[in-house]
Amino acid sequence: MLIDTHCHLDFKDFDGDRDEVIERAGKAGVAKIINVGSSVEGSRRALELAGIYDMVYATLGVHPHEAKTVTDKVINDFRSLAKDKKVVAIGEVGLDYFRNLSPRDEQVAAFRKFIALALDLDRPMIFHSREAKDDILAILKEERGTGIRGVMHCFSEDADFLKECLDLGLFVSFTCNITFKNAEALRKVARLVPVERLLLETDAPFLAPQEFRGSRNEPAYLALLVEQWSKLLNLSKEDVARITTHNANSLFALGLDEKARIAYQIRDSLYLNITNRCTNRCDFCIRDRTAFVKGHNLKLEKEPSVDDILKAVGDPGKYREVVFCGYGESTVRLDVVKTAARELKKKGALAIRIVTNGHGDLINSRPIAKELFGLVDSVSVSLNVDTEQNYTRICRPEFGQAAYARILDFIKACVANNIETEVTCLDLPGVDVGKCEEAARNLGASFRMRSYGVVG
Ligand code: SF4
């Protein structure tokens, strides 16, 4: 199910067939539509529509072109309107120096009033920036740490601006203009977006996708945008849909998927989440920040039995590989891993892999590589860093300094037992990735560098 996080169904362009447009959106898999207010009257109308259609939500804002209309009375009226549960954000607001339809100082003054309102109401914001990136960044940086959050909508700037927005913790959304034939430069920037920070938007009635270019855009076309993002980010369409829907639900407080996953698919691999326990406490572990990986809730209520795991997998032959990974260290349940792997092989699993912190020998008080042979085709060992000192400091293993050397022993034993072995290292500051790679190669393993902050 998809969420169109930015469209303007209140515009007169939809007066003739609004019901049909919303019905078509539903049939195309759009579960929720955020109707973004872009004027005083438009915001009121957005809220009216949210009252009529269950799937429609509203935001309150005034486009910078109309900055002069943003009086204290408007702000107070919006404060009252925002009591309605269907008001999910303040926006679209910001700065537009492309057409300069309002003087810049008035735009800045209005923008600051909306920021104060959003902070007061504790609501996310929808930002509009056109040819105004320096000023908008300066204001947002001033507000850093205040609890300000939101999305830079209709992103159309360069990679530097994208990085600044991401560093500020913002989400970004691009409209259907990334599907345009001549939008290669924008697509190049789009490829840099971490999917965890991406929202989908049509900005309808504007910017219809390439197939309908020149005609009115509408939320049902979101599916074409998903197809484009799937190509740009090398993810399946299901992945893009699930992750962006989770992102939108999270930013706009629209209700998260609470059901924890034992088995979860990303691209054509199936991952198994069999425990939330781990023998490390890595500084960078995302478990401290979120229960979600690529839109899947991995916070288990209880550890699954082998039967639970097999039931959650279904037919393992449908996937390129089945991976014991999840939100913890699976070798703390070595017997479960071995039994489940054996059964999955019997049921036709094409390949089985374990992603591990390499503590298996320490956890089970014996060398375990030999026991994995025949059940597990490959292991990915998260060595993460280059030295024992860095490992102890950054990964904080419960086994103390002994851990690093024992991980290297485990890697060596996996190679010796003919298990395809990969070592991964993170591009953390102060870590000599070359040294990490050399250690992996010397042990007979392959090497892969992972980017800090990218999971799954
Ligand atoms: S090894 Fe993985 S799961 Fe364990 S603390 Fe580190 S990042 Fe988190």
Side-chain angles (χ1 to χ4, degrees), residues 278 280-282 284-285 287 327-328 357:
C278 186
N280 269 346
R281 284 185 302 123
C282 303
F284 51 82
C285 185
R287 298 183 309 168
Y327 240 24
N357 63 14

Side-chain angles (χ1 to χ4, degrees), residues 30-303:
V30 179
K32 295 168 191 166
I33 295 172
I34 298 182
N35 193 103
V36 173
S38 57
S39 65
V40 175
E41 193 41 45
S43 296
R44 289 183 187 283
R45 184 82 184 115
L47 193 48
E48 272 170 36
L49 292 177
I52 297 168
Y53 302 99
D54 275 356
M55 70 189 292
V56 176
Y57 295 80
T59 74
L60 307 173
V62 175
H63 193 284
H65 287 337
E66 298 188 23
K68 58 180 166 299
T69 65
V70 184
T71 59
D72 288 346
K73 180 177 181 316
V74 165
I75 296 292
N76 283 334
D77 288 350
F78 277 10
R79 193 186 305 279
S80 304
L81 293 175
K83 287 183 186 138
D84 191 303
K85 277 197 307 232
K86 291 200 93 178
V87 174
V88 296
I90 296 300
E92 63 182 295
V93 296
L95 305 175
D96 192 318
Y97 297 168
F98 178 63
R99 288 162 74 190
N100 278 316
L101 295 187
S102 284
R104 292 184 180 191
D105 56 341
E106 285 185 12
Q107 292 190 39
V108 170
F111 185 38
R112 287 189 185 279
K113 282 182 188 171
F114 282 121
I115 290 174
L117 179 66
L119 290 176
D120 198 25
L121 297 170
D122 192 21
R123 297 288 167 91
M125 300 187 73
I126 297 174
F127 301 112
H128 171 106
S129 170
R130 196 156 182 209
E131 310 258 316
K133 58 183 181 182
D134 290 343
D135 283 5
I136 206 158
L137 282 176
I139 293 172
L140 292 176
K141 281 178 185 172
E142 272 176 36
E143 301 289 341
R144 201 199 305 250
T146 56
I148 193 168
R149 62 194 190 278
V151 53
M152 191 59 71
H153 116 92
C154 192
F155 194 94
S156 54
E157 301 281 1
D158 56 19
D160 290 342
F161 185 61
L162 174 67
K163 185 172 180 314
E164 296 268 20
C165 290
L166 296 174
D167 287 349
L168 283 163
L170 301 181
F171 286 85
V172 292
S173 58
F174 293 58
T175 68
C176 300
N177 58 357
I178 55 163
T179 67
F180 292 175
K181 276 188 188 151
N182 59 355
E184 194 43 49
L186 192 58
R187 282 192 284 274
K188 203 171 159 193
V189 178
R191 286 188 189 94
L192 303 172
V193 176
V195 69
E196 288 78 8
R197 297 287 195 85
L198 179 67
L199 301 182
L200 299 179
E201 68 158 298
T202 58
D203 203 10
F206 308 113
L207 297 165
Q210 179 65 38
E211 286 86 333
F212 302 100
R213 198 163 175 187
S215 58
R216 185 189 68 178
N217 199 358
E218 61 175 76
Y221 297 159
L222 214 54
L224 296 166
L225 201 52
V226 169
E227 208 170 306
Q228 181 69 69
W229 278 113
S230 149
K231 288 181 203 155
L232 290 173
L233 300 180
N234 188 26
L235 289 165
S236 68
K237 287 189 273 186
E238 292 74 18
D239 288 336
V240 172
R242 181 187 63 254
I243 299 165
T244 55
T245 293
H246 167 71
N247 295 344
N249 279 333
S250 161
L251 179 66
F252 297 112
L254 296 172
L256 294 177
D257 175 7
E258 295 298 342
K259 199 165 162 282
R261 303 269 182 253
I262 299 167
Y264 60 103
Q265 186 175 354
I266 300 175
R267 301 183 190 87
D268 50 2
S269 299
L270 189 74
Y271 292 82
L272 299 181
N273 176 38
I274 68 165
T275 182
N276 287 168
R277 288 181 285 150
C278 186
T279 45
N280 269 346
R281 284 185 302 123
C282 303
D283 279 355
F284 51 82
C285 185
I286 61 156
R287 298 183 309 168
D288 300 333
R289 302 194 298 274
T290 174
F292 287 82
V293 166
K294 294 273 185 280
H296 296 290
N297 180 1
L298 300 189
K299 193 96 177 162
L300 292 168
E301 274 160 27
K302 69 178 179 66
E303 293 186 336

Side-chain angles (χ1 to χ4, degrees), residues 421-436:
T421 308
E422 174 190 66
V423 169
T424 62
C425 180
L426 278 172
D427 57 352
L428 293 166
V431 168
D432 183 344
V433 177
K435 201 168 167 186
C436 211

Side-chain angles (χ1 to χ4, degrees), residues 279-353:
T279 45
N280 269 346
R281 284 185 302 123
C282 303
D283 279 355
F284 51 82
C285 185
I286 61 156
R287 298 183 309 168
D288 300 333
R289 302 194 298 274
T290 174
F292 287 82
V293 166
K294 294 273 185 280
H296 296 290
N297 180 1
L298 300 189
K299 193 96 177 162
L300 292 168
E301 274 160 27
K302 69 178 179 66
E303 293 186 336
S305 65
V306 172
D307 280 350
D308 294 335
I309 295 167
L310 297 177
K311 206 166 145 198
V313 171
D315 174 7
K318 287 196 308 194
Y319 308 98
R320 185 173 61 82
E321 60 173 355
V322 178
V323 188
F324 288 88
C325 184
Y327 240 24
E329 171 53 35
S330 58
T331 63
V332 299
R333 302 188 72 205
L334 186 62
D335 287 345
V336 170
V337 171
K338 283 163 53 184
T339 310
R342 190 173 295 114
E343 293 304 314
L344 290 169
K345 286 260 175 194
K346 279 190 213 158
K347 291 177 81 179
L350 300 176
I352 294 188
R353 180 161 66 102

